[in-house]
Amino acid sequence: MRALALLLLASPAFASEDIADQYPQSVLYSKPVEVIPHVFAAIGATAPPTYENAGHNNNLSFVVTGEGVVVVNSGASWKLAEALHAEIRAVTDQPVKLVIVENGQGHAMLGNGYWAAQGVPILAHKEAAAEFADGAAQDLAALHRYARENAAGTVIAPPTKTFTDRKVITLGDVTLEVLHLGPAHSPGDTQVWIPQWSMMIAGDIAFHERMPPIFEGTCTACWIETWDTALVPLAPTWLIPGHGHPTNLAQVQRYTRDYLLDLRAKIGAHLDQGGDLAGAYYVDQSRWSHLDTFEELATRNAGVVFAEMEFE
């Protein structure tokens, strides 16, 4: 439990876009760690996808159930999925029975082809599946640009199963609830909840070491409502976010919900003063400047929220 305690103490001070690859003998950015008994996560870089991190800039998790392994996120490429599978085999001889993807982005789904070739079913929310279908060709082209030889073998493969609000999976003595708690970061955001262990593999509803990206079409008011009405009542003790180290609910609440509330308040005040889009980019977000990807995302987030709130 000492290792878990150290992980749960993780704060933005532990995250840096400048941290070099932590597992040079593997295409994975870091070696999987056991977060709580039977739940493992390979923590990705908090930087954007680069050649150096091979696109492993999100968390790839797996649960050893006693009857088989459930993987959460297929990875950004065939090679990343294959490398994760090698790590799973080093932990257990139980077969991988299911892959769950947390959203429709390339780093969650471009490894689907590897897992499909192993005969493993792949589960996604129906909206995430639709988003991946729309953007997979661009995601694959981007992978080839930044990952170069590490993109080899990657093919576009859709999920083989979809769900809408909730799907319950029992393997061995473990019950996993695959949830779509509501609108949040991107279409079909998916959370894997293991109530018997009070563990949530939360995906991109929750951030704490890097700034949350806000996309065109993201409803930040809806994200806050989903957080307050659906996530908080579950009260997970342990939480693996989509990016960054395993942590607790209070930490991700501080850097996700509170960030969204703060940015909306700043943009709301700017609108009340008759401000325009050009001025919105300069609202004060210095409170969050220590977060990774602040330089890449802060002004863009402000512009997106301005467009969202202008006609609310």
Side-chain angles (χ1 to χ4, degrees), residues 71-123:
V71 172
V72 182
N73 285 333
S74 72
S77 68
W78 179 290
K79 286 193 171 185
L80 279 169
E82 185 176 43
L84 183 66
H85 200 184
E87 298 294 331
I88 294 169
R89 286 169 167 148
V91 168
T92 179
D93 58 4
Q94 295 174 36
V96 175
K97 292 289 188 75
L98 178 68
V99 173
I100 302 166
V101 288
E102 68 187 19
N103 57 44
Q105 297 173 48
H107 61 194
M109 284 222 209
L110 281 176
N112 285 359
Y114 170 82
W115 294 109
Q118 316 311 307
V120 179
I122 301 157
L123 175 67

Coordinates of all heavy atoms in Angstrom, one line a residue, residues 71-123:
V71 N -9.0 -4.8 -20.4 CA -8.1 -3.7 -20.7 C -8.9 -2.5 -20.9 O -10.0 -2.6 -21.5 CB -7.3 -4.0 -22.0 CG1 -6.5 -2.8 -22.5 CG2 -6.3 -5.2 -21.8
V72 N -8.4 -1.3 -20.4 CA -9.1 -0.1 -20.7 C -8.2 0.8 -21.5 O -7.2 1.2 -21.1 CB -9.5 0.6 -19.4 CG1 -10.3 1.9 -19.7 CG2 -10.3 -0.3 -18.5
N73 N -8.6 1.0 -22.7 CA -8.0 1.8 -23.8 C -7.1 0.8 -24.6 O -6.2 0.1 -24.1 CB -7.2 3.0 -23.4 CG -8.1 4.1 -23.0 OD1 -9.2 4.2 -23.5 ND2 -7.7 5.0 -22.1
S74 N -7.3 0.8 -25.9 CA -6.5 -0.1 -26.8 C -5.1 0.5 -27.1 O -4.3 -0.2 -27.5 CB -7.3 -0.3 -28.1 OG -7.3 0.8 -28.9
G75 N -4.9 1.8 -26.9 CA -3.6 2.4 -27.2 C -3.7 3.2 -28.5 O -4.6 3.0 -29.3
A76 N -2.7 4.0 -28.8 CA -2.6 4.9 -29.9 C -2.1 4.2 -31.2 O -2.1 4.8 -32.2 CB -1.8 6.1 -29.6
S77 N -1.7 2.9 -31.1 CA -1.1 2.2 -32.2 C -1.1 0.7 -32.0 O -1.3 0.3 -30.9 CB 0.3 2.7 -32.5 OG 1.2 2.3 -31.5
W78 N -0.8 0.0 -33.1 CA -0.6 -1.5 -33.0 C 0.5 -1.7 -32.0 O 0.4 -2.6 -31.1 CB -0.3 -2.0 -34.3 CG -0.1 -3.5 -34.4 CD1 1.0 -4.2 -33.9 CD2 -1.0 -4.5 -34.9 NE1 0.9 -5.6 -34.1 CE2 -0.3 -5.8 -34.8 CE3 -2.2 -4.5 -35.6 CZ2 -0.9 -7.0 -35.2 CZ3 -2.8 -5.6 -36.0 CH2 -2.1 -6.9 -35.8
K79 N 1.6 -1.0 -32.1 CA 2.8 -1.3 -31.3 C 2.6 -1.0 -29.8 O 3.1 -1.8 -29.0 CB 4.0 -0.5 -31.8 CG 4.6 -1.1 -33.1 CD 6.0 -0.5 -33.4 CE 6.6 -1.2 -34.6 NZ 8.0 -0.7 -34.8
L80 N 1.8 0.0 -29.5 CA 1.5 0.3 -28.1 C 0.6 -0.8 -27.5 O 0.8 -1.3 -26.4 CB 0.9 1.6 -28.0 CG 1.8 2.8 -27.9 CD1 1.1 4.1 -28.1 CD2 2.7 2.8 -26.7
A81 N -0.4 -1.2 -28.3 CA -1.3 -2.3 -27.8 C -0.5 -3.6 -27.6 O -0.6 -4.3 -26.6 CB -2.4 -2.5 -28.8
E82 N 0.4 -3.9 -28.6 CA 1.3 -5.1 -28.5 C 2.2 -5.0 -27.2 O 2.4 -6.0 -26.5 CB 2.1 -5.2 -29.7 CG 2.9 -6.5 -29.9 CD 3.6 -6.6 -31.2 OE1 4.1 -5.5 -31.7 OE2 3.6 -7.7 -31.8
A83 N 2.7 -3.8 -27.0 CA 3.6 -3.7 -25.8 C 2.9 -3.8 -24.5 O 3.4 -4.4 -23.6 CB 4.3 -2.3 -25.9
L84 N 1.6 -3.3 -24.5 CA 0.8 -3.5 -23.3 C 0.5 -4.9 -23.1 O 0.5 -5.4 -21.9 CB -0.5 -2.6 -23.4 CG -1.3 -2.7 -22.1 CD1 -0.7 -2.0 -21.0 CD2 -2.7 -2.0 -22.4
H85 N 0.2 -5.6 -24.1 CA -0.1 -7.0 -24.0 C 1.1 -7.8 -23.5 O 0.9 -8.7 -22.6 CB -0.5 -7.6 -25.4 CG -1.3 -8.9 -25.3 ND1 -1.7 -9.6 -26.4 CD2 -1.8 -9.6 -24.2 CE1 -2.4 -10.7 -26.0 NE2 -2.5 -10.7 -24.7
A86 N 2.3 -7.5 -23.9 CA 3.5 -8.1 -23.3 C 3.6 -7.9 -21.8 O 4.0 -8.8 -21.1 CB 4.7 -7.6 -24.0
E87 N 3.2 -6.7 -21.4 CA 3.3 -6.4 -19.9 C 2.2 -7.2 -19.2 O 2.4 -7.7 -18.1 CB 3.1 -4.9 -19.7 CG 4.2 -4.0 -20.3 CD 5.5 -4.2 -19.7 OE1 5.6 -4.6 -18.5 OE2 6.5 -4.0 -20.4
I88 N 1.0 -7.3 -19.8 CA 0.0 -8.1 -19.2 C 0.4 -9.6 -19.0 O 0.2 -10.2 -18.0 CB -1.3 -8.1 -20.0 CG1 -1.9 -6.6 -20.0 CG2 -2.4 -9.0 -19.5 CD1 -3.0 -6.4 -21.0
R89 N 1.1 -10.1 -20.0 CA 1.5 -11.5 -20.0 C 2.6 -11.7 -18.9 O 2.8 -12.8 -18.4 CB 2.0 -11.9 -21.4 CG 0.9 -12.2 -22.4 CD 1.5 -12.3 -23.8 NE 0.5 -12.9 -24.7 CZ 0.5 -12.5 -26.0 NH1 1.4 -11.7 -26.5 NH2 -0.4 -13.1 -26.8
A90 N 3.3 -10.6 -18.6 CA 4.4 -10.7 -17.6 C 3.7 -10.8 -16.2 O 4.4 -11.2 -15.2 CB 5.3 -9.6 -17.7
V91 N 2.5 -10.3 -16.1 CA 1.8 -10.2 -14.8 C 1.0 -11.5 -14.6 O 0.9 -12.0 -13.4 CB 0.9 -9.0 -14.7 CG1 0.0 -9.0 -13.6 CG2 1.8 -7.7 -14.7
T92 N 0.3 -12.0 -15.6 CA -0.6 -13.1 -15.5 C -0.7 -13.9 -16.7 O -0.5 -13.4 -17.8 CB -2.0 -12.5 -15.1 OG1 -3.0 -13.6 -15.0 CG2 -2.5 -11.6 -16.2
D93 N -1.1 -15.2 -16.6 CA -1.3 -16.0 -17.7 C -2.8 -16.0 -18.1 O -3.2 -16.7 -19.0 CB -0.8 -17.4 -17.5 CG -1.4 -18.1 -16.3 OD1 -2.3 -17.5 -15.7 OD2 -1.0 -19.3 -16.0
Q94 N -3.6 -15.2 -17.4 CA -5.0 -15.1 -17.8 C -5.2 -14.4 -19.1 O -4.5 -13.4 -19.4 CB -5.8 -14.3 -16.7 CG -5.9 -15.0 -15.3 CD -6.5 -14.1 -14.3 OE1 -7.5 -13.4 -14.6 NE2 -6.0 -14.2 -13.0
P95 N -6.1 -14.9 -20.0 CA -6.2 -14.2 -21.3 C -6.9 -12.9 -21.2 O -7.7 -12.6 -20.3 CB -7.1 -15.2 -22.1 CG -7.9 -15.9 -21.0 CD -7.0 -16.0 -19.8
V96 N -6.7 -12.0 -22.1 CA -7.4 -10.8 -22.3 C -8.8 -11.1 -22.8 O -8.9 -11.7 -23.9 CB -6.7 -9.7 -23.1 CG1 -7.6 -8.5 -23.3 CG2 -5.4 -9.4 -22.5
K97 N -9.9 -10.8 -22.1 CA -11.2 -11.1 -22.5 C -12.0 -10.0 -23.1 O -13.0 -10.2 -23.8 CB -12.0 -11.6 -21.2 CG -11.5 -13.0 -20.7 CD -11.9 -14.1 -21.6 CE -11.6 -15.5 -21.0 NZ -12.6 -15.8 -20.0
L98 N -11.6 -8.7 -22.8 CA -12.3 -7.6 -23.3 C -11.4 -6.3 -23.3 O -10.6 -6.2 -22.4 CB -13.5 -7.3 -22.4 CG -14.4 -6.1 -22.7 CD1 -15.2 -6.3 -24.0 CD2 -15.4 -5.9 -21.6
V99 N -11.6 -5.5 -24.3 CA -11.0 -4.1 -24.3 C -12.1 -3.1 -24.2 O -13.1 -3.2 -25.0 CB -10.1 -3.9 -25.5 CG1 -9.7 -2.4 -25.6 CG2 -8.9 -4.8 -25.5
I100 N -12.1 -2.2 -23.3 CA -13.0 -1.1 -23.2 C -12.3 0.2 -23.6 O -11.2 0.5 -23.1 CB -13.6 -1.0 -21.8 CG1 -14.3 -2.3 -21.3 CG2 -14.6 0.2 -21.7 CD1 -14.5 -2.3 -19.8
V101 N -12.9 1.0 -24.5 CA -12.2 2.3 -24.9 C -13.0 3.4 -24.2 O -14.2 3.4 -24.2 CB -12.1 2.4 -26.4 CG1 -11.1 1.5 -26.9 CG2 -13.4 2.2 -27.1
E102 N -12.2 4.4 -23.7 CA -12.9 5.5 -22.9 C -13.5 6.6 -23.7 O -14.3 7.4 -23.2 CB -11.8 6.0 -21.9 CG -10.7 6.8 -22.6 CD -9.7 7.3 -21.6 OE1 -9.6 6.7 -20.5 OE2 -8.9 8.2 -21.9
N103 N -13.1 6.7 -25.0 CA -13.7 7.8 -25.9 C -13.3 7.5 -27.3 O -12.7 6.4 -27.6 CB -13.3 9.2 -25.5 CG -11.8 9.4 -25.4 OD1 -11.1 8.9 -26.3 ND2 -11.3 10.0 -24.4
G104 N -13.7 8.3 -28.2 CA -13.4 8.1 -29.7 C -12.2 8.7 -30.2 O -12.0 8.7 -31.4
Q105 N -11.2 9.1 -29.4 CA -10.0 9.7 -29.8 C -9.0 8.6 -30.3 O -9.0 7.5 -29.8 CB -9.4 10.5 -28.7 CG -10.3 11.7 -28.4 CD -9.7 12.5 -27.2 OE1 -8.6 12.8 -27.1 NE2 -10.6 12.7 -26.2
G106 N -8.0 9.0 -31.1 CA -7.1 8.1 -31.6 C -6.3 7.3 -30.6 O -6.0 6.1 -30.7
H107 N -5.9 8.1 -29.5 CA -5.0 7.4 -28.6 C -5.8 6.4 -27.7 O -5.2 5.6 -27.0 CB -4.2 8.4 -27.7 CG -5.0 9.3 -26.9 ND1 -4.5 10.4 -26.3 CD2 -6.3 9.3 -26.5 CE1 -5.4 11.1 -25.6 NE2 -6.5 10.4 -25.8
A108 N -7.1 6.4 -27.8 CA -7.9 5.4 -27.1 C -8.2 4.2 -28.0 O -8.4 3.1 -27.5 CB -9.2 6.0 -26.6
M109 N -8.3 4.5 -29.3 CA -8.8 3.4 -30.2 C -7.9 3.0 -31.4 O -8.3 1.9 -32.0 CB -10.1 4.0 -30.9 CG -11.3 4.0 -29.9 SD -12.8 3.4 -30.8 CE -14.0 4.3 -29.9
L110 N -6.8 3.6 -31.7 CA -6.1 3.2 -32.9 C -5.3 1.9 -32.6 O -4.9 1.2 -33.6 CB -5.1 4.3 -33.3 CG -5.6 5.4 -34.1 CD1 -4.6 6.5 -34.4 CD2 -6.2 4.9 -35.4
G111 N -5.3 1.4 -31.4 CA -4.7 0.1 -31.1 C -5.8 -1.0 -31.3 O -5.4 -2.2 -31.1
N112 N -7.0 -0.7 -31.6 CA -8.1 -1.7 -31.8 C -7.7 -2.8 -32.7 O -8.0 -4.0 -32.5 CB -9.3 -1.0 -32.3 CG -10.1 -0.2 -31.3 OD1 -9.7 -0.1 -30.2 ND2 -11.2 0.4 -31.8
G113 N -6.9 -2.4 -33.8 CA -6.6 -3.5 -34.8 C -5.8 -4.6 -34.2 O -6.0 -5.8 -34.6
Y114 N -4.9 -4.3 -33.3 CA -4.1 -5.3 -32.7 C -5.0 -6.2 -31.9 O -4.9 -7.5 -32.0 CB -3.0 -4.7 -31.7 CG -2.3 -5.8 -30.9 CD1 -1.3 -6.5 -31.5 CD2 -2.7 -6.1 -29.6 CE1 -0.7 -7.6 -30.7 CE2 -2.1 -7.1 -28.9 CZ -1.1 -7.8 -29.4 OH -0.5 -8.8 -28.7
W115 N -5.8 -5.7 -31.0 CA -6.7 -6.5 -30.2 C -7.7 -7.3 -31.0 O -8.0 -8.5 -30.7 CB -7.4 -5.6 -29.1 CG -6.4 -5.0 -28.2 CD1 -6.1 -3.7 -28.1 CD2 -5.7 -5.6 -27.1 NE1 -5.2 -3.5 -27.1 CE2 -4.9 -4.7 -26.5 CE3 -5.6 -7.0 -26.7 CZ2 -4.0 -4.9 -25.4 CZ3 -4.7 -7.3 -25.7 CH2 -3.9 -6.3 -25.0
A116 N -8.2 -6.7 -32.0 CA -9.1 -7.5 -32.9 C -8.4 -8.7 -33.5 O -9.0 -9.7 -33.7 CB -9.7 -6.5 -34.0
A117 N -7.1 -8.5 -33.9 CA -6.4 -9.6 -34.5 C -6.1 -10.7 -33.5 O -5.9 -11.9 -33.9 CB -5.0 -9.1 -35.0
Q118 N -6.2 -10.4 -32.2 CA -6.1 -11.4 -31.1 C -7.4 -12.1 -30.8 O -7.5 -12.9 -30.0 CB -5.5 -10.8 -29.8 CG -4.3 -9.9 -30.0 CD -3.2 -10.5 -30.9 OE1 -2.8 -11.6 -30.7 NE2 -2.8 -9.7 -31.9
G119 N -8.5 -11.6 -31.5 CA -9.8 -12.1 -31.2 C -10.5 -11.6 -30.0 O -11.5 -12.2 -29.5
V120 N -10.0 -10.4 -29.5 CA -10.6 -9.8 -28.3 C -11.7 -8.8 -28.7 O -11.5 -7.9 -29.5 CB -9.5 -9.1 -27.5 CG1 -10.1 -8.4 -26.2 CG2 -8.4 -10.0 -27.1
P121 N -12.9 -8.9 -28.1 CA -13.9 -8.0 -28.4 C -13.6 -6.6 -27.8 O -12.9 -6.5 -26.8 CB -15.2 -8.5 -27.7 CG -14.6 -9.5 -26.7 CD -13.3 -10.0 -27.2
I122 N -14.1 -5.5 -28.5 CA -13.7 -4.2 -28.1 C -15.0 -3.4 -27.9 O -15.9 -3.4 -28.8 CB -12.9 -3.5 -29.2 CG1 -11.6 -4.3 -29.5 CG2 -12.6 -2.0 -28.9 CD1 -11.0 -4.0 -30.8
L123 N -15.2 -2.8 -26.7 CA -16.5 -2.2 -26.3 C -16.3 -0.7 -26.3 O -15.3 -0.2 -25.7 CB -16.9 -2.7 -25.0 CG -18.1 -2.1 -24.3 CD1 -19.4 -2.4 -25.1 CD2 -18.3 -2.5 -22.9

